[in-house]
Amino acid sequence: MFELIQQLTNVYGATGRETGVADLIETLLKDKVDSIRRDAMGNLICEKKGSDPNGKRIMLSAHMDHIGFIVAAVEKEGFLRVAPVGGVSVDASRTRHVRFANGVQGVIVQQPVKEGETPAMKHLFIDIGAADEAEALSMIQLGDIALYAPDCFRLGQYRVASPAMDDRVACALQVAVMQELGETRDTVIAVFSTQEEVGCRGAKTAAYSVEPDIGIALDVTCNGDTPETKLPAVKLGEGAAVKIMDRGSISNPELVRDLLAAGERAGVKTQREVLPFGGTDASAIQLSRGGVIAGTVSIPCRYVHSACEVIDLRDVQAAKELLKAYLK
Ligand code: CO
Ligand code: ZN
C-alpha cells in the first residue's frame, strides 16, 4: 500500500488540473473494471458490473485534486503574487518548497507585516529565482497553480507523510479496493473526482450521470490525538473512521450501521467520526437528483492541508477490508 500511495502522491494534480492523476489511475484500473470514462469536469468514472441485473448501483468517490496557489500577478522584480485554490493556509505555507505542473520550482514566502496586522494570503509571494517580470513570465504564466512540492516519507513503523495525502491516500485505497474486489452482486462505480477542494464540483456532475442508489465518499478526516486537539475524537492507528456528520453532510444512519457491521465482519477496527467542520463528496452525492443515500469512510489524518499530512497505514488497510466486506 505504501508504494501505491507514494506513486499517487508524486503526480501533479492541482484542483481543476487533475488529468495526470486520472491518467495514472486509468493505467492501474483498466484491466480490473468493465468500463472507464471521463466526463467534461474531468472525473474518471470506473464501472464494475454486478452479477445481479436488479442489484444496486453503489458509487465510491475519492477526489484527485490537491489544494494550491494560483498565480494572480507578477511583480516587476519577478516575484509571483498568489490567490488560494482551496483551503491553503498562510501558517502552513511559510517558506515552503512549491512546484508548478511544468516542473518550475519556487519558495513561498510571507513578507513582514505591520505591527498588529494578521498575515494573510496577500502577504505571500513565490520566489522562482527570476530576476524580473519578463524572466518570470518566461517560466510560468498567470493562472498556473503551484503546489507543495511532492514528497512522501515514512514516520516510524506505520505512518506516512505527504503534502498530497488529502486525498491521494483515498485514491490509493479506492484503486486497491477495485483491484481486489472480484465478483459482486451490486454494480460498483469508482469515481475519481475533481475539484472537491472548491466545493465538491466534480462529484456533483458525476453523481448526476452515475445515478447511484448509494454513495460513499472516501476522504481523510482530522484527528484529535495530538497536543491541544480534541475534535474529532478520532485517533491514528485506531482504524477506519465511519462518518456520522460533518458540516457538509449527515450520513444516512442505516448506511453508517451497515459500514460499521462490514468492519466487524472483516475483523478490522473502526471508529465513529463526528467532525464539527469540513465536508466530503458525500455532501454533493446526497443532493443529486431526488436524493441519494450517502456517507463517508474516512482515513484519520494529522496536519490536514499542510505540506506534511500524516496517515497510518493500518487505518488504510482497515478501510480497504471494511469496504470489500461491505461491497461483497
Ligand atoms: Co482537503
Ligand atoms: Zn479531501
Side-chain angles (χ1 to χ4, degrees):
M1 188 51 90
F2 172 71
E3 288 71 24
L4 187 56
I5 293 171
Q6 196 174 33
Q7 204 181 358
L8 280 159
T9 53
N10 262 322
V11 184
Y12 180 93
T15 298
R17 312 272 189 274
E18 299 90 349
T19 313
V21 186
D23 290 347
L24 170 60
I25 294 170
E26 187 163 353
T27 64
L28 295 169
L29 283 185
K30 64 175 187 298
D31 304 326
K32 302 288 179 183
V33 295
D34 296 304
S35 72
I36 298 188
R37 64 184 179 86
R38 298 187 199 200
D39 71 7
M41 288 292 286
N43 293 300
L44 183 75
I45 301 171
C46 310
E47 181 156 342
K48 195 169 181 306
K49 294 241 176 302
S51 56
D52 181 353
N54 300 316
K56 291 196 177 352
R57 292 177 62 75
I58 304 176
M59 170 175 163
L60 306 178
S61 186
H63 69 89
M64 298 185 287
D65 62 310
H66 181 197
I67 55 173
F69 306 86
I70 191 163
V71 178
V74 179
E75 301 201 328
K76 281 203 304 293
E77 299 80 7
F79 299 113
L80 316 179
R81 291 295 175 176
V82 293
V85 182
V88 284
S89 81
V90 175
D91 280 343
S93 42
R94 285 188 192 96
T95 337
R96 283 287 175 186
H97 176 194
V98 294
R99 194 147 107 183
F100 288 91
N102 64 3
V104 167
Q105 315 207 59
V107 182
I108 188 158
V109 181
Q110 186 218 301
Q111 68 193 38
V113 297
K114 292 192 199 78
E115 216 182 293
E117 199 179 5
T118 311
M121 208 48 65
K122 66 178 181 190
H123 299 118
L124 297 183
F125 62 87
I126 299 179
D127 180 349
I128 53 170
D132 54 29
E133 186 180 358
E135 188 184 352
L137 286 170
S138 74
M139 298 165 73
I140 54 86
Q141 297 183 55
L142 275 189
D144 284 354
I145 300 175
L147 306 179
Y148 294 134
D151 197 3
C152 189
F153 58 94
R154 299 192 73 130
L155 291 175
Q157 208 182 339
Y158 299 112
R159 301 198 172 154
V160 184
S162 167
M165 216 47 103
D166 176 10
D167 195 24
R168 302 294 164 71
V169 66
C171 291
L173 165 65
Q174 196 166 272
V175 165
V177 167
M178 296 308 280
Q179 285 175 335
E180 296 174 22
L181 193 56
E183 187 129 315
T184 56
R185 200 171 59 86
D186 298 319
T187 292
V188 182
I189 308 98
V191 173
F192 296 86
S193 68
T194 57
Q195 301 190 31
E196 188 271 353
E197 297 287 1
V198 289
C200 306
R201 297 176 190 168
K204 210 169 280 182
T205 63
Y208 183 88
S209 69
V210 164
E211 288 191 72
D213 299 296
I214 298 170
I216 303 170
L218 309 182
D219 210 329
V220 297
T221 188
C222 296
N223 68 291
D225 63 349
T226 48
E228 301 296 323
T229 60
K230 295 283 177 284
L231 288 173
V234 163
K235 292 186 168 72
L236 262 68
E238 289 301 311
V242 176
K243 195 185 294 284
I244 315 294
M245 192 188 89
D246 61 24
R247 209 174 55 193
S249 68
I250 298 172
S251 303
N252 176 276
E254 285 76 36
L255 177 59
V256 168
R257 180 199 62 202
D258 293 348
L259 289 169
L260 289 168
E264 197 155 315
R265 280 203 305 284
V268 297
K269 285 201 275 191
T270 53
Q271 351 183 22
R272 296 165 72 90
E273 174 207 344
V274 177
L275 187 68
F277 44 88
T280 71
D281 279 348
S283 67
I285 300 168
Q286 69 174 357
L287 298 181
S288 184
R289 293 179 180 266
V292 176
I293 290 170
T296 300
V297 173
S298 307
I299 305 296
C301 185
R302 291 178 179 169
Y303 328 123
V304 172
H305 288 189
S306 78
C308 296
E309 301 175 326
V310 177
I311 57 90
D312 190 306
L313 291 170
R314 292 170 295 183
D315 300 331
V316 186
Q317 192 65 27
K320 187 178 80 176
E321 296 308 325
L322 180 159
L323 287 162
K324 281 158 61 184
Y326 175 78
L327 296 167
K328 275 287 169 198

